Amino acid sequence: MTREDLAARQAALLEALLTDAPAPSGFDPERLRIEADVVLTKRRRLVAYLRPDLPEALGERFRPLFDAYAAEHPKAVTTRAREYADTFADWLVSRGDLPKPRWFQRRKR
């Protein structure tokens, strides 16, 4: 197997773990789905750790909203965790799930 082949297989695996892409050949789709759920849970916990204001403000809605966001916006390898958490917060504000922060409202006047 060449480096390019290996890189392509790794990219397909990563895509399946981070998005709803099908399992690459040679991988058990059910086991991969379980691992994808684990990765999603870790990402959700990290966002909650970095931005505790979000789960506090959203309550029970935090999990389904984050999961919807994560499905639509997979985290790129180059995106830092805090940047991803902040982008999630911006997404919540843009949808009306959270009010605009007061500092944002004051700055926009």
Side-chain angles (χ1 to χ4, degrees), residues 56-100:
E56 181 181 304
L58 296 169
E60 294 295 318
R61 297 182 311 141
F62 176 75
R63 180 181 178 154
L65 285 169
F66 179 80
D67 292 359
Y69 176 79
E72 293 176 25
H73 304 90
K75 183 181 172 298
V77 175
T78 57
T79 304
R80 300 275 187 206
R82 182 162 306 276
E83 178 186 356
Y84 192 72
D86 291 342
T87 305
F88 172 54
D90 293 342
W91 180 80
L92 291 166
V93 170
S94 73
R95 291 172 29 104
D97 292 303
L98 284 179
K100 289 182 182 173

Side-chain angles (χ1 to χ4, degrees), residues 11-53:
L13 177 59
L14 190 57
E15 184 178 6
L17 287 171
L18 298 179
T19 69
D20 212 8
S25 65
F27 288 92
D28 178 354
E30 182 59 22
R31 292 184 106 182
L32 199 55
R33 185 195 59 74
I34 291 168
E35 290 301 322
D37 288 346
V38 169
V39 170
L40 179 61
T41 298
K42 286 181 178 183
R43 289 170 55 205
R44 190 184 318 111
R45 285 182 185 161
L46 182 57
V47 167
Y49 174 78
L50 293 171
R51 292 291 306 264
D53 58 309

